[in-house]
Amino acid sequence: MTVWTSDAMLHALCGNPHFFSNPSSIRSDTTSLSKNPIQLWKKRKIRHIRSLKFSPTQETRVGLYQPPGISGSSSCNVLPSQSGSLISCCQNSESVGATAADESRTWYVDSAKKIDPVSSLVNGPNLLEFHDAQPLKLETDSRIVNVDLSTASMLPGCGFHKNSGAIFEDEAWDLLKESMVYYCGSPIGTIAANDPTNPNVLNYDQVFIRDFIPSGVAFLLKGEFEIVRNFILHTLQLQSWEKTMDCHSPGQGLMPASFKVRTVPLDGDESATEEVLDPDFGEAAIGRVAPVDSGLWWIILLRAYGKCSGDLTVQERIDVQTGIKMILRLCLADGFDMFPTLLVTDGSCMIDRRMGIHGHPLEIQALFYSALLCAREMLAPEDGSADLLRALNNRLVALSFHIREYYWIDLKKLNEIYRYKTEEYSYDAVNKFNIYPDQISPWLVEWMPDKGGYLIGNLQPAHMDFRFFSLGNLWSVVSGLATNDQSHAILDLIEAKWSDLVADMPFKICYPALEGREWQIITGSDPKNTPWSYHNGGSWPTLLWQLTVACIKMNRPEIAARGVQVAEKCLSRDKWPEYYDTKRARFIGKQAQLFQTWSIAGYLVAKLLLGNPSASKMLITDEDSELVNTFSCMISSTPRRKRGPKSSKQTYIV
């Protein structure tokens, strides 16, 4: 086992400023980033190990404490005030340090209980309270030095200046910047993965709309607005591109799944080249599925950009307003469906392979609801938008009622379904969708906790998908699609089923996995979606940021902080993989890309938001009071449409 040298331990305990502030020992210079992320990662690890001489497991359990708000870069930090409340300080490290000095704050281990409990959770269990810690044996040459960390706070000058989480953050920022893509000299996005050891990159060298969202949020939180602005405007230009497959074109307003910057010869001059954006609307995707979620994520990021940067000129531009309307018209178009939910094919969202989510998957409905609220907030009031806004508001009311009433399940609701009568033909039927009680799987009866509940994955005639889909449930909390009580119940379930949904790495994309004959029929025996792998019960670190936003909104950040603590044990050591396999997420995914950008960005966003919870407001949409009143009225009456012909001002001659 690797152990610390006594010199390193004394530096760690006594807070040698040269030891921690020297960029060569801890941080790498971001102005001279390595071209190769593998070399970058190895060099950083070697430097760190030579300095501290401890193993990755010790690294996560014995961090070096840094007060909240004291960091080496400019960002929105949170400092604990003398009264114990949190004060937001948007300034760089120099000004924060001066403020701390002016107020004569001395950061000792024995005063840690005054610090925000979220920060102490992120730093690891018992990190700031060493009374339970065991003495560590430190080796230097042939001598063994016993150091009892319980007495560390009594040593003069032994304040902790740098925690292990900060080491991971520095590495993550370097890797995120390495993944940036430039178009005509300006940053425009981040590629999906930057793993030079894998020659089969497929389309991971492209900029995906959904993959860039956590990267964009991370850059916004860091105050780097240019790349997000460029991404929004350039992807908007791609919206109007002609897109066909087998002589068929989808509706106007579809956003691409991804794009790539290509260098092509300039027309008329073979010696000159130019850069062009090459979008993929699903024509080249595996399965040829159009990305329904791309436009919804684009609207959500547009609102976040305006709220975080204060630059509302982007969303007020005519082309941007037109782009929003095109997406809305595509989503609000009339069809054959009787439900207010969006009808989509399998593989049209984050789960982009056949997984039995065709129909009305929760993930799409949560993003749809969130995008509708964001769009309503950003649409300019004008005569041309009146009909669109009316349709938008009507859909919001119907969608919120439908999801809250029919998708929700807890122990009480499960018992009601267990007692359903079938084949009810009436307008007042209790079992409106003719759900057969035998659909309730044995696993669900045992798995459902006494306290807590969740929104099911899908609802169609005679079919309820009882699987727990993480992104759909988390974003239902963030967007306000779930009620306040339902949101707390979802987090209660996550806490109660932590060993199933998190275990050794957050967060299961869905639970449980499809196995046996069910897996063969639903996935078509997909070799990538084998049980407890990839989209079939795999664990995706990027979901950590959605978990964090949801927990902060419900004022329960300690849940997210616990997830960050779990992630820090493995993410950096495992080279930031795309996903993890097995029921407890103990293996790196068998086909997972390393240095996956949204795994990196998801971790960064979680850390930044836990440090500055108020910044999450740019992503959160609160429950609309008008919708609440309308929803209450619908609950008290029969929520069905009146029969009869539509009223019309036109007169027809028969």
Side-chain angles (χ1 to χ4, degrees), residues 63-68 107 115 119 123 127-128 159-163:
L64 300 175
Y65 178 70
Q66 178 189 16
W107 304 94
I115 298 172
S119 299
N123 289 330
L127 178 61
L128 303 178
F160 284 88
H161 300 279
K162 191 83 173 178
N163 60 38

Side-chain angles (χ1 to χ4, degrees), residues 532-534 538-539 577-582 585-594:
W532 306 110
S533 179
Y534 202 52
S539 296
E578 179 184 11
Y579 63 94
Y580 285 78
D581 284 354
T582 74
R586 302 189 68 182
F587 290 169
I588 298 173
K590 57 187 174 183
Q591 297 187 41
Q593 295 282 329
L594 301 182

